[in-house]
Amino acid sequence: MQGNGSFEATRWTLVQRVKEANKEEAREALNVLCAMYWRPLYAFARGYGRSMEDAEDVVQGFLAKGIEKALFSAADQEKGKMRTFLLTAFKRYLRDEYVKESALKRGDGKVDTMDVAAEEARWADTDAADPTVSFDKRWAIIVVESAKEQLEKKYENEGKLELFEALSASLMGELDEGYQEVADRLGISLSAVKVGVHRLRKRYGEMLRAEIIGTIGEGEDPDQELRYLIGILSD
């Protein structure tokens, strides 16, 4: 699903499809949103005091109810961040719903991409005292992962996947091997490696900003949101 320019459809574009597209396209867009954002919800539920099994059930119940009642159709870019909207709706669900009554039978109607064991390990590693911080950290990780995935696809489409794989470590710091070693292995000049790293980081920043713009409200500052999410990953 491609949006304008070189980036995938923004999250708000997907929300709009939930509201306005035909039933099949709306459900497809909704499933994409649910598959992407269940991880922050799980982290919040665990931090809120739910057991691993309870957290899985409550997230599945929330998403199932969201699909049934078009959860994202109530989201509005003019009213603020999608991150805030989703967490507010989930808090309300936790407060108002009888989890055991609304929990799905395991294997029935679940979000296919939920790997609870892996997410549990990630949650245990972060171990944030504040469940809202846990939610925001997982949201930030999604932004970073999604931007990197889009960047990798862009390089692959340009026939430069080998270059991306060789230089991608520079997005998080320095390359695992020296610049000259990379140049020798790829058969390019040292200056080409340096330019490649510069361009890769620049494009990555553009992808991150595009991801942010795709989830914040109209008139909100994407750079401020980006600083917040990157900062929370550093804590």
Side-chain angles (χ1 to χ4, degrees), residues 7-21:
F7 301 111
E8 285 196 345
T10 70
R11 309 310 164 212
W12 284 119
T13 303
L14 292 172
V15 168
Q16 204 61 32
R17 287 179 184 170
V18 172
K19 294 180 178 183
E20 298 178 355

Side-chain angles (χ1 to χ4, degrees), residues 29-138:
L30 189 56
N31 284 336
V32 170
L33 290 166
C34 289
M36 175 167 284
Y37 294 123
W38 73 266
R39 292 181 292 171
L41 297 172
Y42 178 86
F44 183 85
R46 288 292 280 121
Y48 200 73
R50 302 285 182 180
S51 67
M52 177 179 171
E53 293 78 12
D54 245 10
E56 178 183 3
D57 280 344
V58 76
V59 171
Q60 290 287 5
F62 174 71
L63 294 178
K65 184 173 182 180
I67 290 173
E68 176 188 347
K69 296 192 175 182
L71 166 68
F72 285 94
S73 65
D76 188 340
Q77 188 175 9
E78 294 182 358
K79 296 180 180 178
K81 300 179 183 68
M82 191 185 301
R83 172 165 57 87
T84 304
F85 161 78
L86 191 60
L87 182 56
T88 300
F90 190 52
K91 286 179 177 178
R92 187 180 303 118
Y93 179 83
L94 286 172
R95 185 185 68 236
D96 296 343
E97 294 296 320
Y98 292 99
V99 177
K100 295 302 181 182
E101 292 182 6
S102 61
L104 297 179
K105 294 179 180 179
R106 299 192 182 277
D108 180 20
K110 298 178 72 175
V111 176
D112 293 337
T113 56
M114 280 187 71
D115 184 348
V116 175
E119 196 58 32
E120 176 66 15
R122 294 188 189 102
W123 178 82
D125 284 342
T126 58
D127 194 27
D130 183 344
T132 302
V133 173
S134 292
F135 178 92
D136 287 352
K137 280 189 174 182
R138 294 307 302 150

Side-chain angles (χ1 to χ4, degrees), residues 209-221:
R209 201 168 189 275
E211 285 290 323
I212 293 295
I213 290 172
T215 62
I216 60 175
E218 291 183 357
E220 292 188 306
D221 183 358

Side-chain angles (χ1 to χ4, degrees), residues 142-212:
I142 288 170
V143 169
V144 168
E145 289 177 347
S146 182
K148 188 175 180 181
E149 287 171 6
Q150 295 311 310
L151 187 59
E152 183 175 3
K153 287 179 184 177
K154 187 172 182 65
Y155 272 77
E156 184 176 12
N157 291 338
E158 295 173 352
K160 299 178 181 178
L161 183 58
E162 185 180 13
L163 179 64
F164 173 83
E165 291 174 343
L167 303 182
S168 60
S170 69
L171 297 176
M172 303 303 167
E174 292 302 319
L175 297 178
D176 296 333
E177 53 186 327
Y179 281 29
Q180 187 61 61
E181 286 81 358
V182 172
D184 293 342
R185 179 161 56 83
L186 296 180
I188 59 179
S189 67
L190 177 59
S191 62
V193 172
K194 293 179 179 178
V195 169
V197 168
H198 174 75
R199 288 178 177 170
L200 184 74
R201 287 172 172 170
K202 182 175 184 293
R203 291 171 117 181
Y204 182 56
E206 292 170 352
M207 294 288 183
L208 281 173
R209 201 168 189 275
E211 285 290 323
I212 293 295

